[in-house]
């Protein structure tokens, strides 16, 4: 009989079929994340006040289920979090951000990027890399509106008059995968944004080198 236990609740150190583990950037040789959304600590030796050193065996870490009630629908929005030790102090991390950083973008900055990692299928328990996507605040708001999870009055249209004077959306742009393989050329950034559903500002930022990639794609202005 198939095991129906959600992967994050499986505390066995044995790998689940198809599971791949990788060091979490910034926590190499200390913590690893898996493609099934599990987090584990590794065997290590730590300082001890009396014994000088102490061996600590690695283990699958427990994850906390966090619920934010949606004000419109009343149902909970779920996300998982896990506690890691940073400079001898416990610190709580959003699990899906750890998974995204480990398997998709190791340069993701928790403190400075101001970006969001969301579950594409809306299932906060499903933190497999292919179910995660990086979004800006405006993209996240529009997605919530499209899923009928936010009143229209909450969405605010920012003043982009100044932004559009400095960032042209009419330039031809090319789309590549992370291996440098050409995917498609678009007549304009507006067209690329419309067809890929990626915010035009983000495409511009990648094309200008402000980001190395976005959700698995590299964007470049077409050479004249």
């Amino acid at each position: 009989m198939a095991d129906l236990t959600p992967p994050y609740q499986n505390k066995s150190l044995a790998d689940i079929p198809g599971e791949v583990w990788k060091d979490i950037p910034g926590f190499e040789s200390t913590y690893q994340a898996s493609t099934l959304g599990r987090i584990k600590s590794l065997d290590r030796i730590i300082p001890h006040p009396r014994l000088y050193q102490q061996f600590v065996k690695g283990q699958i870490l427990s994850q906390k289920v966090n619920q934010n009630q949606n004000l419109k629908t009343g149902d909970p929005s779920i996300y998982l979090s896990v506690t890691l030790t940073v400079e001898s102090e416990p610190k709580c991390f959003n699990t899906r951000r750890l998974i995204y950083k480990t398997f998709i973008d190791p340069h993701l900055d928790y403190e400075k990027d101001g970006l969001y990692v969301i579950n594409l299928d809306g299932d906060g328990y499903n933190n497999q890399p292919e179910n995660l996507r990086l979004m800006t605040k405006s993209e996240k708001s529009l997605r919530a509106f499209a899923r009928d999870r936010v009143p229209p009055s909450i969405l605010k249209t920012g003043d982009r008059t100044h932004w559009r004077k400095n960032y042209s959306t009419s330039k031809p742009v090319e789309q590549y995968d992370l291996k440098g393989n050409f995917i498609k050329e678009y007549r304009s950034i507006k067209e690329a944004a419309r067809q890929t559903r990626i915010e035009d500002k983000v495409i511009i930022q990648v094309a200008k080198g402000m980001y190395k990639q976005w959700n698995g794609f590299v964007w470049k202005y077409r050479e004249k």
Side-chain angles (χ1 to χ4, degrees), residues 18-126:
E19 186 174 33
V20 176
W21 290 92
K22 189 176 179 181
D23 284 348
I24 299 174
F27 294 96
E28 289 80 1
S29 302
T30 307
Y31 295 105
Q32 289 188 337
S34 90
T35 50
L36 295 183
R38 296 203 294 168
I39 308 292
K40 71 178 178 181
S41 61
L42 302 178
D43 292 350
R44 61 197 185 281
I45 296 177
I46 63 173
H48 190 278
R50 289 187 299 102
L51 305 175
Y52 298 104
Q53 289 184 334
Q54 179 182 13
F55 173 77
V56 178
K57 184 173 178 56
Q59 61 180 329
I60 302 296
L61 301 184
S62 297
Q63 297 189 43
K64 179 182 178 182
V65 178
N66 303 272
Q67 299 187 28
N68 293 324
Q69 186 176 20
N70 185 277
L71 296 178
K72 181 177 182 181
T73 65
D75 61 327
S77 176
I78 304 292
Y79 72 92
L80 300 177
S81 62
V82 63
T83 299
L84 308 183
T85 300
V86 181
E87 297 180 351
S88 301
E89 295 292 333
K91 185 174 181 180
C92 185
F93 291 87
N94 186 304
T95 299
R96 60 190 174 208
R97 289 183 69 91
L98 288 177
I99 301 297
Y100 190 94
K101 185 171 185 175
T102 301
F103 292 98
I104 301 176
D105 185 0
H107 303 291
L108 186 65
D109 191 311
Y110 295 101
E111 305 295 338
K112 301 177 181 178
D113 56 31
L115 302 173
Y116 297 84
V117 177
I118 60 98
N119 302 92
L120 287 174
D121 63 0
D123 181 0
Y125 298 108
N126 180 9

